[in-house]
Amino acid sequence: MATLLHNVTTTLTKELLAAGDGINNIKYITLANVDSSNDAKVDLFLNKKEDNFHILNEVLIPQGNTLILGPEDNITFDNSKNGFSLRIQVDNGSGSATAVDVIIKR
């Protein structure tokens, strides 16, 4: 079953939705920088095999701020078994981890 709430606390790429989770009707994605002292540089992207397709590329979310993506931001995608996964990578711009909470609302 797909997890729609995530605490991202590593610089490693994290899979938010795996291909086959069947979450095809996303309405909003909320990205909240909950780090106590650092800005967050965020990459949010779709993945299919070796190919990545960025929704956000190196977008800076200042410490204590939230970015909300809605339908106008092209966040709807095929999340079937043969579709795409949704992944995120976050750091502070210098390669260190920054804490970001992600909520996927459908």
Side-chain angles (χ1 to χ4, degrees):
M1 178 165 191
T3 301
L4 303 178
L5 305 170
H6 299 271
N7 302 110
V8 181
T9 58
T10 178
T11 59
L12 299 175
T13 299
K14 180 174 175 125
E15 188 165 73
L16 302 174
L17 295 174
D21 280 344
I23 307 299
N24 294 310
N25 54 347
I26 296 172
K27 302 277 189 272
Y28 297 96
I29 300 174
T30 302
L31 303 138
N33 181 346
V34 295
D35 197 89
S36 61
S37 59
N38 294 302
D39 293 342
K41 183 183 74 169
V42 177
D43 289 343
L44 182 70
F45 55 95
L46 303 177
N47 173 268
K48 190 169 189 176
K49 299 184 181 177
E50 285 80 42
D51 295 323
N52 293 322
F53 304 93
H54 280 79
I55 297 170
L56 300 177
N57 186 41
E58 297 186 2
V59 170
L60 188 69
I61 302 174
Q63 186 275 326
N65 283 270
T66 300
L67 174 64
I68 300 173
L69 302 174
E72 67 279 2
D73 298 305
N74 296 316
I75 58 172
T76 302
F77 61 95
D78 177 8
N79 186 231
S80 68
K81 180 180 177 187
N82 296 316
F84 295 91
S85 63
L86 178 64
R87 297 180 177 180
I88 191 168
Q89 188 170 20
V90 179
D91 69 37
N92 67 356
S94 298
S96 296
T98 301
V100 171
D101 288 347
V102 180
I103 300 171
I104 301 168
K105 181 166 174 53
R106 54 185 191 154

